[in-house]
């Protein structure tokens, strides 16, 4: 019997929803999921670019592509890798130079909400 998960905020709920969906996909397509996970782990490991820099890049791409789950996931990734709010906002600015209003609308709502909620969970 699965335990019922109760999210403490909308960011945690979205992260749980994504992980649950990924788990279901993995059960149905284990080989594909395994290869995808191996590939992404390789892409995000420390290299000439730091894990922190890679998360900032991923957040920018997520914002530009308007992928809300990835925006949330990589905002958390940025914080987990030690990014300051200022670094995240600067990366948003660079992304907005390409993505314009669509990027800014996600940044001033979803990203800032994620930062606030994730910081509250740490306390």
């Amino acid at each position: 019997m699965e335990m019922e998960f109760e999210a403490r905020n909308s960011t945690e709920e979205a992260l749980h929803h994504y992980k649950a969906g990924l788990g279901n996909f993995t059960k149905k397509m284990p080989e594909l999921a395994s290869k995808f996970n191996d590939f992404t782990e390789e892409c995000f490991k420390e290299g000439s670019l730091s894990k922190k820099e890679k998360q900032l890049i991923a957040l920018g791409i997520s914002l530009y592509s308007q992928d809300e789950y990835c925006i949330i996931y990589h905002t958390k990734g940025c914080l987990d890798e030690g990014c300051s709010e200022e670094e995240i906002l600067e990366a948003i600015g660079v992304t907005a130079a390409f993505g314009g209003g669509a990027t800014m609308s996600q940044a001033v709502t979803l990203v800032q909400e994620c930062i606030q909620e994730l910081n509250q969970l740490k306390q």
Side-chain angles (χ1 to χ4, degrees):
M1 183 171 141
E2 267 186 60
M3 287 186 56
E4 189 65 31
F5 174 79
E6 188 165 331
R8 294 171 284 179
N9 56 47
S10 62
T11 300
E12 192 174 57
E13 183 177 341
L15 289 167
H16 177 74
H17 192 247
Y18 170 75
K19 287 179 182 176
L22 187 58
N24 288 334
F25 183 85
T26 300
K27 287 177 189 171
K28 296 174 184 176
M29 300 292 292
E31 279 295 309
L32 193 151
S34 174
K35 286 177 178 21
F36 178 77
N37 289 336
D38 290 346
F39 174 71
T40 56
E41 283 178 27
E42 183 68 24
C43 291
F44 280 90
K45 76 179 190 182
E46 195 82 18
S48 296
L49 294 174
S50 69
K51 289 180 179 182
K52 179 178 173 178
E53 291 167 323
K54 290 178 179 188
Q55 285 296 333
L56 287 165
I57 291 167
L59 177 58
I61 294 166
S62 300
L63 284 162
Y64 188 80
S65 65
Q66 298 289 291
D67 183 334
E68 289 190 15
Y69 282 108
C70 285
I71 292 168
I72 293 167
Y73 187 84
H74 292 294
T75 298
K76 182 180 184 323
C78 285
L79 294 172
D80 289 348
E81 292 301 330
C83 291
S84 67
E85 185 174 5
E86 292 77 20
E87 289 171 314
I88 293 169
L89 296 177
E90 194 168 314
I92 287 167
V94 172
T95 307
F98 288 88
T103 293
M104 286 303 286
S105 69
Q106 295 287 14
V108 301
T109 55
L110 186 56
V111 173
Q112 291 187 114
E113 182 180 308
C114 288
I115 291 169
Q116 181 182 12
E117 290 184 349
L118 290 166
N119 283 337
Q120 285 173 352
L121 291 177
K122 288 181 185 178
Q123 295 173 1

